[in-house]
Amino acid sequence: RRYFSVEADDLERALRVVAGRTDADATQVIAIGGSVGGGAALALAARNPPGLKAVVNLAGAMRITDAQGQLTCPQDMPIAALASFGSQTRTPTLWVYSENDGNFGPDAARKAHAAYVAQGGVAALKIAPSLHFGFVMFGMHHAKGAAFLAAP
């Protein structure tokens, strides 16, 4: 939880910078983050900052390994951290994960999402189809990926 919250500090500072700009509307903000950034965006939403209208969590989690590549942070820890933010926010969120995510797969995503919603969070979960080259979040030119994003 603390890991994501520290990252959310930066997002909160960015919101303050945006609020001071004449070419931006700080009352209409959507936070989008991937991996650790997805968890940070959820942590930001838990603070209920003014102007935050929605959060998009793209495969939000973390996988911490030692120098030998052994997992040092059990998957239950980021799941619990993400879930805890659900009790503090009513900002609508969209969670997007992929079937072939090797770090935080669909079962973990479903578990984290269910726990977040059980805590009171407002969230929709989308599991993207496996793509032969992996799920490239912003390179959705592949027909399968484009159809997924267009689906209701």
Side-chain angles (χ1 to χ4, degrees), residues 65-112:
T65 58
D66 62 19
Q68 291 73 41
Q70 298 299 310
L71 190 62
T72 59
C73 175
Q75 219 169 37
D76 286 346
M77 290 180 74
I79 289 171
L82 296 177
S84 72
F85 299 130
S87 68
Q88 299 167 333
T89 183
R90 298 301 169 258
T91 302
T93 62
L94 172 63
W95 296 37
V96 182
Y97 290 79
S98 69
E99 289 177 359
N100 60 338
D101 187 322
N103 292 323
F104 205 77
D107 291 339
R110 286 183 190 97
K111 187 175 179 181

